[in-house]
Amino acid sequence: MSNVANASDPTSPAMTSAGKDERTVVIVEDDPNIADLVDLYLREAGFRVLQAAGGERGLELIIQHRPVLCVLDVGLPDIDGFEVCRRIRSTPATAALPVLFLTARDGEIDRVLGLELGADDYVTKPFSPRELVARVKAILRRGVTAPAAEQTTFEIGDGIVIDVARREVRIGSGPVALATKEFDLLAHLARNQGIALSRQQLLDGVWGADWVGDDRTVDVHVRQLRKKVGDDLPLATVWGVGYRLG
Ligand code: CA
């Protein structure tokens, strides 16, 4: 088993003021060839890399080392990547950890894009390791965008509150559980209330300019938002353009 942590030097990590390894990435992948390849490219890009060959071990590493991102295979020998992601999201200390899924089949992609998982991005096997590193960097760039003075609470429609700082959506007093990208999309629309945004603008603003995907991604997430937030969400489809909130 290669699920022993192999950080370059875990005894002297670069620490931020928050006291966590600054640029550690955890790879959870049971195929050692894929894990080592991703490991190699991420190290070349300057990351500290820890590998786990199973889901449980991956969760341990994430709790212990507080990585900036997790590369997560779906098919794992113990608990699958979906369950790993669910546990990451349901643990307050790791709930905001970006997750990049490695998927093998179309069916997996649909689930990754789908409901409650909160994946930040995915690549489909076989993938280019360079592309994967580009995705990792894009996700991390998106994570450091909110200036302190920015408005962080938006009220839309009839009593729907979007609290960007707490990453929370409430209707009345009840919270609405959204996946990471669903929340990001709603927050982006809220920052641009009253403005019709094209799907491309939404892709750029939410997924980042480096995202390689198609408009369907936006539509899928809009559909989920409408389903989860409900009929009171004042999110209009603007024919020939895209979407407008409020
Ligand atoms: Ca696998």
Side-chain angles (χ1 to χ4, degrees), residues 118-142:
D120 291 272
D121 202 350
Y122 69 92
V123 294
T124 309
K125 298 174 182 177
F127 56 86
S128 140
R130 268 180 227 290
E131 171 67 21
L132 180 134
V133 170
R135 295 284 182 90
V136 166
K137 288 180 174 173
I139 292 169
L140 295 178
R141 270 201 301 278
R142 288 201 298 270

Short mmCIF file of all heavy atoms in Angstrom, two decimals, residues 118-142:
data_model
loop_
_atom_site.label_atom_id
_atom_site.label_comp_id
_atom_site.label_asym_id
_atom_site.label_seq_id
_atom_site.Cartn_x
_atom_site.Cartn_y
_atom_site.Cartn_z
N GLY A 118 -20.88 19.16 -3.91
CA GLY A 118 -20.03 20.32 -3.72
C GLY A 118 -18.64 20.15 -4.31
O GLY A 118 -17.66 20.62 -3.75
N ALA A 119 -18.55 19.49 -5.46
CA ALA A 119 -17.25 19.40 -6.11
C ALA A 119 -16.90 20.75 -6.72
O ALA A 119 -17.77 21.47 -7.19
CB ALA A 119 -17.29 18.35 -7.21
N ASP A 120 -15.63 21.10 -6.68
CA ASP A 120 -15.23 22.37 -7.26
C ASP A 120 -14.88 22.24 -8.73
O ASP A 120 -14.96 23.20 -9.47
CB ASP A 120 -14.03 22.91 -6.47
CG ASP A 120 -14.47 23.31 -5.08
OD1 ASP A 120 -14.89 24.45 -4.91
OD2 ASP A 120 -14.45 22.45 -4.17
N ASP A 121 -14.50 21.04 -9.11
CA ASP A 121 -14.18 20.81 -10.51
C ASP A 121 -13.94 19.31 -10.66
O ASP A 121 -13.92 18.57 -9.68
CB ASP A 121 -12.92 21.60 -10.91
CG ASP A 121 -12.84 21.83 -12.41
OD1 ASP A 121 -13.65 21.23 -13.16
OD2 ASP A 121 -11.99 22.61 -12.85
N TYR A 122 -13.77 18.85 -11.90
CA TYR A 122 -13.43 17.46 -12.10
C TYR A 122 -12.63 17.32 -13.38
O TYR A 122 -12.70 18.19 -14.26
CB TYR A 122 -14.70 16.59 -12.20
CG TYR A 122 -15.50 16.83 -13.46
CD1 TYR A 122 -15.28 16.06 -14.60
CD2 TYR A 122 -16.43 17.86 -13.52
CE1 TYR A 122 -16.00 16.30 -15.76
CE2 TYR A 122 -17.14 18.10 -14.68
CZ TYR A 122 -16.92 17.32 -15.80
OH TYR A 122 -17.61 17.57 -16.95
N VAL A 123 -11.85 16.27 -13.47
CA VAL A 123 -11.26 15.89 -14.74
C VAL A 123 -11.60 14.42 -14.98
O VAL A 123 -11.78 13.65 -14.04
CB VAL A 123 -9.72 16.08 -14.79
CG1 VAL A 123 -9.35 17.55 -14.72
CG2 VAL A 123 -9.04 15.30 -13.69
N THR A 124 -11.72 14.07 -16.25
CA THR A 124 -12.09 12.70 -16.61
C THR A 124 -10.86 11.94 -17.06
O THR A 124 -10.05 12.45 -17.84
CB THR A 124 -13.11 12.75 -17.77
OG1 THR A 124 -14.16 13.64 -17.40
CG2 THR A 124 -13.69 11.38 -18.02
N LYS A 125 -10.71 10.73 -16.54
CA LYS A 125 -9.59 9.88 -16.94
C LYS A 125 -9.83 9.35 -18.35
O LYS A 125 -10.96 8.99 -18.65
CB LYS A 125 -9.44 8.70 -15.98
CG LYS A 125 -9.11 9.10 -14.55
CD LYS A 125 -9.15 7.85 -13.68
CE LYS A 125 -8.88 8.21 -12.23
NZ LYS A 125 -8.97 7.02 -11.35
N PRO A 126 -8.82 9.24 -19.19
CA PRO A 126 -7.45 9.70 -18.94
C PRO A 126 -7.37 11.22 -19.08
O PRO A 126 -8.08 11.80 -19.90
CB PRO A 126 -6.66 9.02 -20.05
CG PRO A 126 -7.65 8.83 -21.16
CD PRO A 126 -8.99 8.64 -20.51
N PHE A 127 -6.54 11.83 -18.29
CA PHE A 127 -6.44 13.29 -18.32
C PHE A 127 -4.99 13.70 -18.49
O PHE A 127 -4.08 12.91 -18.25
CB PHE A 127 -7.02 13.90 -17.05
CG PHE A 127 -6.36 13.37 -15.80
CD1 PHE A 127 -5.19 13.94 -15.31
CD2 PHE A 127 -6.91 12.30 -15.12
CE1 PHE A 127 -4.58 13.44 -14.18
CE2 PHE A 127 -6.29 11.80 -13.97
CZ PHE A 127 -5.13 12.38 -13.51
N SER A 128 -4.79 14.93 -18.92
CA SER A 128 -3.45 15.47 -19.01
C SER A 128 -3.06 16.03 -17.65
O SER A 128 -3.79 16.84 -17.07
CB SER A 128 -3.42 16.57 -20.07
OG SER A 128 -2.60 17.63 -19.63
N PRO A 129 -1.93 15.58 -17.10
CA PRO A 129 -1.53 16.10 -15.79
C PRO A 129 -1.33 17.62 -15.79
O PRO A 129 -1.58 18.28 -14.78
CB PRO A 129 -0.23 15.36 -15.48
CG PRO A 129 0.13 14.56 -16.65
CD PRO A 129 -1.02 14.54 -17.61
N ARG A 130 -0.91 18.14 -16.93
CA ARG A 130 -0.76 19.59 -17.01
C ARG A 130 -2.10 20.30 -16.85
O ARG A 130 -2.22 21.32 -16.20
CB ARG A 130 -0.19 19.97 -18.38
CG ARG A 130 1.29 20.06 -18.41
CD ARG A 130 1.78 20.43 -19.80
NE ARG A 130 2.87 19.56 -20.19
CZ ARG A 130 4.07 19.62 -19.65
NH1 ARG A 130 4.33 20.49 -18.71
NH2 ARG A 130 5.03 18.79 -20.02
N GLU A 131 -3.10 19.71 -17.50
CA GLU A 131 -4.45 20.25 -17.41
C GLU A 131 -4.94 20.20 -15.95
O GLU A 131 -5.52 21.16 -15.44
CB GLU A 131 -5.38 19.44 -18.32
CG GLU A 131 -6.86 19.72 -18.17
CD GLU A 131 -7.24 21.11 -18.62
OE1 GLU A 131 -6.48 21.72 -19.39
OE2 GLU A 131 -8.30 21.60 -18.18
N LEU A 132 -4.63 19.10 -15.31
CA LEU A 132 -5.05 18.97 -13.91
C LEU A 132 -4.40 20.04 -13.04
O LEU A 132 -5.06 20.68 -12.21
CB LEU A 132 -4.70 17.57 -13.39
CG LEU A 132 -5.11 17.33 -11.94
CD1 LEU A 132 -5.79 15.99 -11.79
CD2 LEU A 132 -3.94 17.44 -10.99
N VAL A 133 -3.11 20.27 -13.26
CA VAL A 133 -2.42 21.30 -12.47
C VAL A 133 -3.04 22.68 -12.76
O VAL A 133 -3.24 23.47 -11.84
CB VAL A 133 -0.91 21.30 -12.78
CG1 VAL A 133 -0.23 22.51 -12.16
CG2 VAL A 133 -0.26 20.02 -12.25
N ALA A 134 -3.38 22.92 -14.02
CA ALA A 134 -4.02 24.20 -14.37
C ALA A 134 -5.35 24.36 -13.64
O ALA A 134 -5.69 25.44 -13.15
CB ALA A 134 -4.23 24.29 -15.89
N ARG A 135 -6.10 23.27 -13.54
CA ARG A 135 -7.38 23.32 -12.83
C ARG A 135 -7.17 23.60 -11.34
O ARG A 135 -7.89 24.36 -10.73
CB ARG A 135 -8.12 21.98 -12.97
CG ARG A 135 -8.53 21.63 -14.38
CD ARG A 135 -9.74 22.42 -14.82
NE ARG A 135 -10.14 22.03 -16.15
CZ ARG A 135 -11.00 21.05 -16.42
NH1 ARG A 135 -11.57 20.38 -15.44
NH2 ARG A 135 -11.31 20.74 -17.66
N VAL A 136 -6.17 22.93 -10.79
CA VAL A 136 -5.86 23.13 -9.36
C VAL A 136 -5.55 24.61 -9.11
O VAL A 136 -6.08 25.23 -8.19
CB VAL A 136 -4.67 22.24 -8.92
CG1 VAL A 136 -4.12 22.69 -7.57
CG2 VAL A 136 -5.10 20.78 -8.87
N LYS A 137 -4.71 25.16 -9.95
CA LYS A 137 -4.32 26.57 -9.78
C LYS A 137 -5.52 27.49 -9.94
O LYS A 137 -5.66 28.47 -9.20
CB LYS A 137 -3.22 26.94 -10.78
CG LYS A 137 -1.88 26.32 -10.45
CD LYS A 137 -0.87 26.74 -11.49
CE LYS A 137 0.53 26.26 -11.11
NZ LYS A 137 1.49 26.52 -12.21
N ALA A 138 -6.37 27.16 -10.90
CA ALA A 138 -7.55 28.00 -11.14
C ALA A 138 -8.47 27.99 -9.92
O ALA A 138 -8.98 29.03 -9.50
CB ALA A 138 -8.30 27.52 -12.38
N ILE A 139 -8.67 26.81 -9.34
CA ILE A 139 -9.52 26.71 -8.15
C ILE A 139 -8.93 27.54 -7.02
O ILE A 139 -9.64 28.27 -6.34
CB ILE A 139 -9.66 25.24 -7.71
CG1 ILE A 139 -10.45 24.44 -8.73
CG2 ILE A 139 -10.32 25.15 -6.33
CD1 ILE A 139 -10.42 22.94 -8.51
N LEU A 140 -7.62 27.46 -6.84
CA LEU A 140 -6.99 28.17 -5.73
C LEU A 140 -7.02 29.68 -5.96
O LEU A 140 -7.17 30.44 -5.01
CB LEU A 140 -5.57 27.67 -5.51
CG LEU A 140 -5.49 26.21 -5.06
CD1 LEU A 140 -4.05 25.76 -4.92
CD2 LEU A 140 -6.24 26.00 -3.76
N ARG A 141 -6.90 30.10 -7.20
CA ARG A 141 -6.99 31.54 -7.50
C ARG A 141 -8.37 32.06 -7.15
O ARG A 141 -8.52 33.15 -6.62
CB ARG A 141 -6.73 31.80 -8.98
CG ARG A 141 -5.29 32.05 -9.32
CD ARG A 141 -5.16 32.79 -10.64
NE ARG A 141 -5.74 32.08 -11.75
CZ ARG A 141 -5.13 31.10 -12.42
NH1 ARG A 141 -3.93 30.71 -12.05
NH2 ARG A 141 -5.72 30.52 -13.43
N ARG A 142 -9.38 31.28 -7.47
CA ARG A 142 -10.75 31.73 -7.18
C ARG A 142 -10.98 31.88 -5.69
O ARG A 142 -11.81 32.67 -5.27
CB ARG A 142 -11.76 30.69 -7.71
CG ARG A 142 -11.88 30.65 -9.19
CD ARG A 142 -13.21 30.03 -9.59
NE ARG A 142 -13.38 28.65 -9.15
CZ ARG A 142 -13.02 27.60 -9.87
NH1 ARG A 142 -12.44 27.76 -11.02
NH2 ARG A 142 -13.23 26.38 -9.42
#
